[in-house]
PDB file of all heavy atoms in Angstrom:
ATOM      1  N   TYR T 607    -210.744-142.976 -30.318  1.00 98.00           N
ATOM      2  CA  TYR T 607    -211.521-144.101 -30.841  1.00 98.00           C
ATOM      3  C   TYR T 607    -212.860-144.071 -30.124  1.00 98.00           C
ATOM      4  O   TYR T 607    -212.924-143.927 -28.902  1.00 98.00           O
ATOM      5  CB  TYR T 607    -210.819-145.433 -30.589  1.00 98.00           C
ATOM      6  CG  TYR T 607    -211.723-146.609 -30.834  1.00 98.00           C
ATOM      7  CD1 TYR T 607    -212.214-146.875 -32.113  1.00 98.00           C
ATOM      8  CD2 TYR T 607    -212.133-147.437 -29.788  1.00 98.00           C
ATOM      9  CE1 TYR T 607    -213.084-147.930 -32.342  1.00 98.00           C
ATOM     10  CE2 TYR T 607    -212.985-148.511 -30.011  1.00 98.00           C
ATOM     11  CZ  TYR T 607    -213.461-148.749 -31.295  1.00 98.00           C
ATOM     12  OH  TYR T 607    -214.330-149.797 -31.515  1.00 98.00           O
ATOM     13  N   GLU T 608    -213.950-144.207 -30.884  1.00 97.00           N
ATOM     14  CA  GLU T 608    -215.290-144.167 -30.298  1.00 97.00           C
ATOM     15  C   GLU T 608    -216.128-145.312 -30.842  1.00 97.00           C
ATOM     16  O   GLU T 608    -216.138-145.563 -32.053  1.00 97.00           O
ATOM     17  CB  GLU T 608    -215.970-142.826 -30.631  1.00 97.00           C
ATOM     18  CG  GLU T 608    -217.346-142.661 -30.035  1.00 97.00           C
ATOM     19  CD  GLU T 608    -217.351-142.789 -28.521  1.00 97.00           C
ATOM     20  OE1 GLU T 608    -216.879-141.868 -27.844  1.00 97.00           O
ATOM     21  OE2 GLU T 608    -217.851-143.833 -28.032  1.00 97.00           O
ATOM     22  N   ASN T 609    -216.813-146.027 -29.936  1.00 96.00           N
ATOM     23  CA  ASN T 609    -217.646-147.154 -30.374  1.00 96.00           C
ATOM     24  C   ASN T 609    -219.081-147.073 -29.866  1.00 96.00           C
ATOM     25  O   ASN T 609    -219.835-148.047 -29.981  1.00 96.00           O
ATOM     26  CB  ASN T 609    -217.015-148.483 -29.925  1.00 96.00           C
ATOM     27  CG  ASN T 609    -216.985-148.644 -28.406  1.00 96.00           C
ATOM     28  OD1 ASN T 609    -217.369-147.751 -27.658  1.00 96.00           O
ATOM     29  ND2 ASN T 609    -216.518-149.793 -27.945  1.00 96.00           N
ATOM     30  N   GLN T 610    -219.480-145.902 -29.316  1.00 95.00           N
ATOM     31  CA  GLN T 610    -220.839-145.749 -28.802  1.00 95.00           C
ATOM     32  C   GLN T 610    -221.627-144.693 -29.573  1.00 95.00           C
ATOM     33  O   GLN T 610    -222.720-144.953 -30.050  1.00 95.00           O
ATOM     34  CB  GLN T 610    -220.791-145.376 -27.311  1.00 95.00           C
ATOM     35  CG  GLN T 610    -220.130-146.399 -26.420  1.00 95.00           C
ATOM     36  CD  GLN T 610    -220.899-147.703 -26.351  1.00 95.00           C
ATOM     37  OE1 GLN T 610    -222.116-147.714 -26.416  1.00 95.00           O
ATOM     38  NE2 GLN T 610    -220.181-148.816 -26.246  1.00 95.00           N
ATOM     39  N   VAL T 663    -211.141-142.380 -35.103  1.00 98.00           N
ATOM     40  CA  VAL T 663    -211.543-143.696 -35.599  1.00 98.00           C
ATOM     41  C   VAL T 663    -212.887-144.018 -34.942  1.00 98.00           C
ATOM     42  O   VAL T 663    -213.015-143.970 -33.708  1.00 98.00           O
ATOM     43  CB  VAL T 663    -210.498-144.782 -35.254  1.00 98.00           C
ATOM     44  CG1 VAL T 663    -210.992-146.149 -35.730  1.00 98.00           C
ATOM     45  CG2 VAL T 663    -209.159-144.448 -35.890  1.00 98.00           C
ATOM     46  N   ILE T 664    -213.891-144.319 -35.764  1.00 98.00           N
ATOM     47  CA  ILE T 664    -215.250-144.551 -35.271  1.00 98.00           C
ATOM     48  C   ILE T 664    -215.702-145.930 -35.741  1.00 98.00           C
ATOM     49  O   ILE T 664    -215.582-146.256 -36.938  1.00 98.00           O
ATOM     50  CB  ILE T 664    -216.230-143.492 -35.815  1.00 98.00           C
ATOM     51  CG1 ILE T 664    -215.720-142.081 -35.514  1.00 98.00           C
ATOM     52  CG2 ILE T 664    -217.624-143.684 -35.213  1.00 98.00           C
ATOM     53  CD1 ILE T 664    -216.565-140.983 -36.162  1.00 98.00           C
ATOM     54  N   TRP T 665    -216.221-146.740 -34.841  1.00 98.00           N
ATOM     55  CA  TRP T 665    -216.727-148.058 -35.210  1.00 98.00           C
ATOM     56  C   TRP T 665    -217.950-147.896 -36.114  1.00 98.00           C
ATOM     57  O   TRP T 665    -218.803-147.028 -35.881  1.00 98.00           O
ATOM     58  CB  TRP T 665    -217.076-148.841 -33.950  1.00 98.00           C
ATOM     59  CG  TRP T 665    -217.240-150.317 -34.165  1.00 98.00           C
ATOM     60  CD1 TRP T 665    -216.573-151.101 -35.065  1.00 98.00           C
ATOM     61  CD2 TRP T 665    -218.114-151.189 -33.443  1.00 98.00           C
ATOM     62  NE1 TRP T 665    -216.972-152.409 -34.962  1.00 98.00           N
ATOM     63  CE2 TRP T 665    -217.921-152.499 -33.971  1.00 98.00           C
ATOM     64  CE3 TRP T 665    -219.028-150.998 -32.410  1.00 98.00           C
ATOM     65  CZ2 TRP T 665    -218.627-153.605 -33.501  1.00 98.00           C
ATOM     66  CZ3 TRP T 665    -219.722-152.098 -31.924  1.00 98.00           C
ATOM     67  CH2 TRP T 665    -219.520-153.396 -32.466  1.00 98.00           C
ATOM     68  N   GLU T 666    -218.035-148.715 -37.131  1.00 98.00           N
ATOM     69  CA  GLU T 666    -219.080-148.568 -38.152  1.00 98.00           C
ATOM     70  C   GLU T 666    -220.514-148.526 -37.602  1.00 98.00           C
ATOM     71  O   GLU T 666    -221.335-147.730 -38.094  1.00 98.00           O
ATOM     72  CB  GLU T 666    -218.956-149.684 -39.195  1.00 98.00           C
ATOM     73  CG  GLU T 666    -219.934-149.528 -40.341  1.00 98.00           C
ATOM     74  CD  GLU T 666    -219.728-150.570 -41.434  1.00 98.00           C
ATOM     75  OE1 GLU T 666    -218.640-151.193 -41.509  1.00 98.00           O
ATOM     76  OE2 GLU T 666    -220.674-150.752 -42.227  1.00 98.00           O
ATOM     77  N   PRO T 667    -220.888-149.361 -36.593  1.00 97.00           N
ATOM     78  CA  PRO T 667    -222.263-149.260 -36.087  1.00 97.00           C
ATOM     79  C   PRO T 667    -222.639-147.853 -35.608  1.00 97.00           C
ATOM     80  O   PRO T 667    -223.815-147.473 -35.645  1.00 97.00           O
ATOM     81  CB  PRO T 667    -222.282-150.258 -34.920  1.00 97.00           C
ATOM     82  CG  PRO T 667    -221.272-151.279 -35.308  1.00 97.00           C
ATOM     83  CD  PRO T 667    -220.169-150.494 -35.986  1.00 97.00           C
ATOM     84  N   VAL T 668    -221.651-147.053 -35.174  1.00 98.00           N
ATOM     85  CA  VAL T 668    -221.944-145.695 -34.723  1.00 98.00           C
ATOM     86  C   VAL T 668    -222.484-144.851 -35.867  1.00 98.00           C
ATOM     87  O   VAL T 668    -223.447-144.094 -35.694  1.00 98.00           O
ATOM     88  CB  VAL T 668    -220.677-145.046 -34.118  1.00 98.00           C
ATOM     89  CG1 VAL T 668    -220.913-143.568 -33.827  1.00 98.00           C
ATOM     90  CG2 VAL T 668    -220.257-145.776 -32.853  1.00 98.00           C
ATOM     91  N   VAL T 669    -221.885-144.952 -37.055  1.00 98.00           N
ATOM     92  CA  VAL T 669    -222.344-144.124 -38.176  1.00 98.00           C
ATOM     93  C   VAL T 669    -223.590-144.710 -38.831  1.00 98.00           C
ATOM     94  O   VAL T 669    -224.238-144.024 -39.636  1.00 98.00           O
ATOM     95  CB  VAL T 669    -221.227-143.922 -39.226  1.00 98.00           C
ATOM     96  CG1 VAL T 669    -220.042-143.209 -38.599  1.00 98.00           C
ATOM     97  CG2 VAL T 669    -220.796-145.229 -39.868  1.00 98.00           C
ATOM     98  N   ARG T 670    -223.930-145.928 -38.502  1.00 97.00           N
ATOM     99  CA  ARG T 670    -225.151-146.529 -39.044  1.00 97.00           C
ATOM    100  C   ARG T 670    -226.361-146.335 -38.118  1.00 97.00           C
ATOM    101  O   ARG T 670    -227.507-146.451 -38.572  1.00 97.00           O
ATOM    102  CB  ARG T 670    -224.948-148.030 -39.289  1.00 97.00           C
ATOM    103  CG  ARG T 670    -224.041-148.338 -40.468  1.00 97.00           C
ATOM    104  CD  ARG T 670    -223.995-149.822 -40.764  1.00 97.00           C
ATOM    105  NE  ARG T 670    -223.233-150.115 -41.970  1.00 97.00           N
ATOM    106  CZ  ARG T 670    -223.726-150.099 -43.212  1.00 97.00           C
ATOM    107  NH1 ARG T 670    -225.003-149.797 -43.399  1.00 97.00           N
ATOM    108  NH2 ARG T 670    -222.959-150.388 -44.239  1.00 97.00           N
ATOM    109  N   GLN T 698    -211.669-141.860 -39.915  1.00 98.00           N
ATOM    110  CA  GLN T 698    -211.674-143.234 -40.394  1.00 98.00           C
ATOM    111  C   GLN T 698    -212.761-144.030 -39.693  1.00 98.00           C
ATOM    112  O   GLN T 698    -212.964-143.876 -38.487  1.00 98.00           O
ATOM    113  CB  GLN T 698    -210.321-143.906 -40.138  1.00 98.00           C
ATOM    114  CG  GLN T 698    -209.142-143.287 -40.876  1.00 98.00           C
ATOM    115  CD  GLN T 698    -207.848-143.971 -40.494  1.00 98.00           C
ATOM    116  OE1 GLN T 698    -207.136-143.506 -39.615  1.00 98.00           O
ATOM    117  NE2 GLN T 698    -207.543-145.094 -41.144  1.00 98.00           N
ATOM    118  N   VAL T 699    -213.430-144.885 -40.452  1.00 98.00           N
ATOM    119  CA  VAL T 699    -214.417-145.799 -39.885  1.00 98.00           C
ATOM    120  C   VAL T 699    -213.788-147.184 -39.762  1.00 98.00           C
ATOM    121  O   VAL T 699    -213.141-147.674 -40.698  1.00 98.00           O
ATOM    122  CB  VAL T 699    -215.683-145.858 -40.761  1.00 98.00           C
ATOM    123  CG1 VAL T 699    -216.571-147.036 -40.353  1.00 98.00           C
ATOM    124  CG2 VAL T 699    -216.468-144.555 -40.641  1.00 98.00           C
ATOM    125  N   LEU T 700    -213.958-147.798 -38.590  1.00 98.00           N
ATOM    126  CA  LEU T 700    -213.506-149.170 -38.362  1.00 98.00           C
ATOM    127  C   LEU T 700    -214.629-150.095 -38.814  1.00 98.00           C
ATOM    128  O   LEU T 700    -215.713-150.068 -38.230  1.00 98.00           O
ATOM    129  CB  LEU T 700    -213.193-149.379 -36.882  1.00 98.00           C
ATOM    130  CG  LEU T 700    -212.649-150.739 -36.476  1.00 98.00           C
ATOM    131  CD1 LEU T 700    -211.254-150.957 -37.048  1.00 98.00           C
ATOM    132  CD2 LEU T 700    -212.618-150.874 -34.958  1.00 98.00           C
ATOM    133  N   PRO T 701    -214.417-150.888 -39.859  1.00 97.00           N
ATOM    134  CA  PRO T 701    -215.540-151.643 -40.441  1.00 97.00           C
ATOM    135  C   PRO T 701    -216.063-152.736 -39.526  1.00 97.00           C
ATOM    136  O   PRO T 701    -215.313-153.402 -38.808  1.00 97.00           O
ATOM    137  CB  PRO T 701    -214.943-152.219 -41.726  1.00 97.00           C
ATOM    138  CG  PRO T 701    -213.468-152.244 -41.497  1.00 97.00           C
ATOM    139  CD  PRO T 701    -213.166-151.086 -40.596  1.00 97.00           C
ATOM    140  N   LEU T 702    -217.370-152.936 -39.608  1.00 95.00           N
ATOM    141  CA  LEU T 702    -218.045-153.946 -38.798  1.00 95.00           C
ATOM    142  C   LEU T 702    -217.574-155.347 -39.160  1.00 95.00           C
ATOM    143  O   LEU T 702    -217.540-156.246 -38.310  1.00 95.00           O
ATOM    144  CB  LEU T 702    -219.559-153.827 -39.003  1.00 95.00           C
ATOM    145  CG  LEU T 702    -220.458-154.774 -38.226  1.00 95.00           C
ATOM    146  CD1 LEU T 702    -220.245-154.619 -36.724  1.00 95.00           C
ATOM    147  CD2 LEU T 702    -221.920-154.530 -38.584  1.00 95.00           C
ATOM    148  N   GLU T 703    -217.181-155.556 -40.404  1.00 94.00           N
ATOM    149  CA  GLU T 703    -216.796-156.891 -40.856  1.00 94.00           C
ATOM    150  C   GLU T 703    -215.489-157.368 -40.245  1.00 94.00           C
ATOM    151  O   GLU T 703    -215.165-158.551 -40.313  1.00 94.00           O
ATOM    152  CB  GLU T 703    -216.668-156.886 -42.379  1.00 94.00           C
ATOM    153  CG  GLU T 703    -215.556-155.994 -42.888  1.00 94.00           C
ATOM    154  CD  GLU T 703    -215.565-155.845 -44.397  1.00 94.00           C
ATOM    155  OE1 GLU T 703    -216.631-156.006 -45.010  1.00 94.00           O
ATOM    156  OE2 GLU T 703    -214.490-155.558 -44.959  1.00 94.00           O
ATOM    157  N   ARG T 704    -214.729-156.447 -39.635  1.00 92.00           N
ATOM    158  CA  ARG T 704    -213.468-156.869 -39.007  1.00 92.00           C
ATOM    159  C   ARG T 704    -213.776-157.695 -37.757  1.00 92.00           C
ATOM    160  O   ARG T 704    -214.457-157.239 -36.840  1.00 92.00           O
ATOM    161  CB  ARG T 704    -212.616-155.647 -38.655  1.00 92.00           C
ATOM    162  CG  ARG T 704    -211.271-156.009 -38.072  1.00 92.00           C
ATOM    163  CD  ARG T 704    -210.330-154.824 -38.012  1.00 92.00           C
ATOM    164  NE  ARG T 704    -209.862-154.420 -39.329  1.00 92.00           N
ATOM    165  CZ  ARG T 704    -208.911-155.051 -40.012  1.00 92.00           C
ATOM    166  NH1 ARG T 704    -208.332-156.144 -39.492  1.00 92.00           N
ATOM    167  NH2 ARG T 704    -208.548-154.624 -41.194  1.00 92.00           N
ATOM    168  N   HIS T 707    -210.264-156.288 -33.271  1.00 96.00           N
ATOM    169  CA  HIS T 707    -209.476-155.066 -33.453  1.00 96.00           C
ATOM    170  C   HIS T 707    -208.765-154.732 -32.152  1.00 96.00           C
ATOM    171  O   HIS T 707    -208.926-155.422 -31.139  1.00 96.00           O
ATOM    172  CB  HIS T 707    -210.355-153.906 -33.936  1.00 96.00           C
ATOM    173  CG  HIS T 707    -211.454-153.520 -32.993  1.00 96.00           C
ATOM    174  ND1 HIS T 707    -211.233-152.767 -31.867  1.00 96.00           N
ATOM    175  CD2 HIS T 707    -212.787-153.786 -33.023  1.00 96.00           C
ATOM    176  CE1 HIS T 707    -212.387-152.565 -31.240  1.00 96.00           C
ATOM    177  NE2 HIS T 707    -213.342-153.178 -31.917  1.00 96.00           N
TER     178      HIS T 707
END
Side-chain angles (χ1 to χ4, degrees):
Y607 167 65
E608 182 58 73
N609 65 356
Q610 299 294 327
V663 177
I664 306 174
W665 196 33
E666 185 175 341
V668 172
V669 299
R670 288 186 174 274
Q698 297 177 265
V699 167
L700 183 67
L702 181 59
E703 65 188 25
R704 183 167 289 282
H707 61 78

